[in-house]
Amino acid sequence: MLRYGCLTNDSSDAAAVFVPFYAGFDFARHHWGYDNATRDAASLDLERWLVRRPEWRRAGGRDHFLVAGRTAWDFRRHTCPSPTWGTNLLFLPAAKNMTVLVVESSTAPSHGNDMAVPYPTYFHPRADADVLHWQQRIKSTRRPWLMSFVGAPRPGDPRSIRSQIIAQCGASSACRQLGCANGATQCHTPGDIMRLFQSSTFCLQPPGDSYTRRSAFDAMVAGCVPVFFHPASAYLQYRWHLPGDHARYSVFIPEDAVRVGNVSIEDTLRRIPGAAVRRMQEEVITLVPRLVYADPRYSLDTVKDAF
């Protein structure tokens, strides 16, 4: 943002005003071992400070935006399953007027002001050439695995289909997975993850703690076609960054069919014509620039990144 070409120090001349509040850090600082009043204290301080600013009075905050590096649910405690999860930042009257950028939106039309932007991935280009070279690399890479999965099961979540996906992948000679249970270090090693995604045609992306996951963006940046099992994982959000026609870049398999064992993921993917698979791969590779964030120490010339 500091390298944006149209910054101004004159707030009366600004079309948009950035709110310098780091809601994700505030969440982490007071989430565990504190009461709700403590969790909400900084957000309330922010609101009191904002509404006294001359910039706020101009449009009631409708030209303000805030960037929160977590999901919207972490700032909507009132509608979360747990009465002690997160803060109530997005329910404050002032926050309802602002646009809030999060890595996953609440997807509820009634909320309206939280917008999903891509999770940061492992790739932060320094120049246009970095992006173009990467696109050529993933286009020409050999992909011996039909499908892959990186993740851990959710045994305590009856809604999760991760166990079924892990079982189907384990039973298939065309699937490879990295298990992330019990503190497995390989899931925190960028090279292992990206090498697997680059060697896979399809990457399985079931919901995790929330509907979407960072892995979906790592997979697409690796040129792997994402397979989603819930529409909220991508289709109901990321409107600025992903095509409205989700069949152009992804595959959808209903999670209920996987949960009850009525569908074979491998068979479903093998039935997709080769020409259709190639079109999806080409679309994913085309999407790469808008899914990555450039190294903030450098500026891209003609390539437009996620920012």
Side-chain angles (χ1 to χ4, degrees), residues 116-135:
V117 297
Y119 275 80
T121 67
Y122 290 124
F123 180 36
H124 301 289
R126 297 182 175 187
D128 289 8
D130 292 346
V131 180
L132 301 176
H133 173 73
W134 181 259
Q135 287 176 298

Side-chain angles (χ1 to χ4, degrees), residues 223-287:
C224 189
V225 177
V227 180
F228 296 116
F229 301 86
H230 194 291
S233 292
Y235 308 150
L236 303 183
Q237 50 188 328
Y238 306 112
R239 298 198 301 269
W240 295 341
H241 296 84
L242 295 176
D245 180 3
H246 58 78
R248 284 169 50 189
Y249 72 96
S250 69
V251 175
F252 179 69
I253 301 175
E255 64 176 357
D256 287 343
V258 176
R259 184 178 293 109
V260 300
N262 286 344
V263 64
S264 164
I265 299 171
E266 179 179 351
D267 290 347
T268 300
L269 298 179
R270 288 195 183 280
R271 285 197 296 269
I272 301 174
V277 174
R278 288 189 291 274
R279 284 195 297 271
M280 284 188 283
Q281 290 175 315
E282 290 171 359
E283 182 69 23
V284 167
I285 293 171
T286 300
L287 288 174

Side-chain angles (χ1 to χ4, degrees), residues 121-178:
T121 67
Y122 290 124
F123 180 36
H124 301 289
R126 297 182 175 187
D128 289 8
D130 292 346
V131 180
L132 301 176
H133 173 73
W134 181 259
Q135 287 176 298
Q136 288 298 319
R137 175 178 172 177
I138 58 177
K139 184 176 183 178
S140 61
T141 189
R142 181 174 169 269
R143 299 183 182 271
W145 300 101
L146 173 69
M147 57 187 186
S148 63
F149 173 66
V150 176
R154 294 289 191 273
D157 184 356
R159 301 168 302 169
S160 176
I161 61 169
R162 293 226 181 164
S163 294
Q164 291 91 332
I165 285 176
I166 290 170
Q168 286 202 31
C169 187
S172 169
S173 61
C175 185
R176 183 166 178 247
Q177 55 189 326
L178 292 181

Side-chain angles (χ1 to χ4, degrees), residues 18-300:
F18 170 65
V19 178
F21 180 66
Y22 301 95
F25 288 146
D26 181 51
F27 171 99
R29 183 175 61 161
H30 288 138
H31 180 65
W32 289 274
Y34 294 87
D35 60 18
N36 286 343
T38 304
R39 295 186 181 105
D40 294 339
S43 299
L44 291 169
D45 283 346
L46 170 71
E47 182 176 53
R48 286 190 287 267
W49 177 78
L50 271 178
V51 299
R52 293 197 300 265
R53 301 285 302 178
E55 298 91 351
W56 186 271
R57 291 195 293 269
R58 182 178 63 184
R62 286 180 294 276
D63 55 359
H64 284 49
F65 72 99
L66 183 151
V67 181
R70 297 184 67 94
T71 75
W73 300 112
D74 293 325
F75 312 109
R76 291 188 180 279
R77 187 181 62 245
H78 181 66
T79 54
C80 286
S82 170
T84 59
W85 182 267
T87 75
N88 258 4
L89 169 65
L90 294 185
F91 284 108
L92 298 180
K96 291 181 180 179
N97 282 357
M98 293 189 293
T99 298
V100 181
L101 308 184
V102 288
V103 292
E104 179 178 350
S105 71
S106 56
T107 70
S110 59
H111 294 157
N113 68 323
D114 52 73
M115 297 296 296
V117 297
Y119 275 80
T121 67
Y122 290 124
F123 180 36
H124 301 289
R126 297 182 175 187
D128 289 8
D130 292 346
V131 180
L132 301 176
H133 173 73
W134 181 259
Q135 287 176 298
Q136 288 298 319
R137 175 178 172 177
I138 58 177
K139 184 176 183 178
S140 61
T141 189
R142 181 174 169 269
R143 299 183 182 271
W145 300 101
L146 173 69
M147 57 187 186
S148 63
F149 173 66
V150 176
R154 294 289 191 273
D157 184 356
R159 301 168 302 169
S160 176
I161 61 169
R162 293 226 181 164
S163 294
Q164 291 91 332
I165 285 176
I166 290 170
Q168 286 202 31
C169 187
S172 169
S173 61
C175 185
R176 183 166 178 247
Q177 55 189 326
L178 292 181
C180 301
N182 303 320
T185 58
Q186 59 187 354
C187 287
H188 300 283
T189 305
D192 290 345
I193 294 172
M194 294 305 285
R195 276 189 291 271
L196 176 56
F197 287 160
Q198 289 179 70
S199 64
S200 308
T201 300
F202 297 100
C203 292
L204 310 181
Q205 303 296 342
D209 294 326
S210 55
Y211 287 124
T212 193
R213 53 202 301 251
R214 173 193 155 162
S215 176
F217 293 95
D218 285 332
M220 286 188 281
V221 169
C224 189
V225 177
V227 180
F228 296 116
F229 301 86
H230 194 291
S233 292
Y235 308 150
L236 303 183
Q237 50 188 328
Y238 306 112
R239 298 198 301 269
W240 295 341
H241 296 84
L242 295 176
D245 180 3
H246 58 78
R248 284 169 50 189
Y249 72 96
S250 69
V251 175
F252 179 69
I253 301 175
E255 64 176 357
D256 287 343
V258 176
R259 184 178 293 109
V260 300
N262 286 344
V263 64
S264 164
I265 299 171
E266 179 179 351
D267 290 347
T268 300
L269 298 179
R270 288 195 183 280
R271 285 197 296 269
I272 301 174
V277 174
R278 288 189 291 274
R279 284 195 297 271
M280 284 188 283
Q281 290 175 315
E282 290 171 359
E283 182 69 23
V284 167
I285 293 171
T286 300
L287 288 174
V288 166
R290 72 174 75 173
L291 302 182
V292 299
Y293 297 89
D295 186 320
R297 296 169 296 180
Y298 301 86
S299 296
L300 304 183

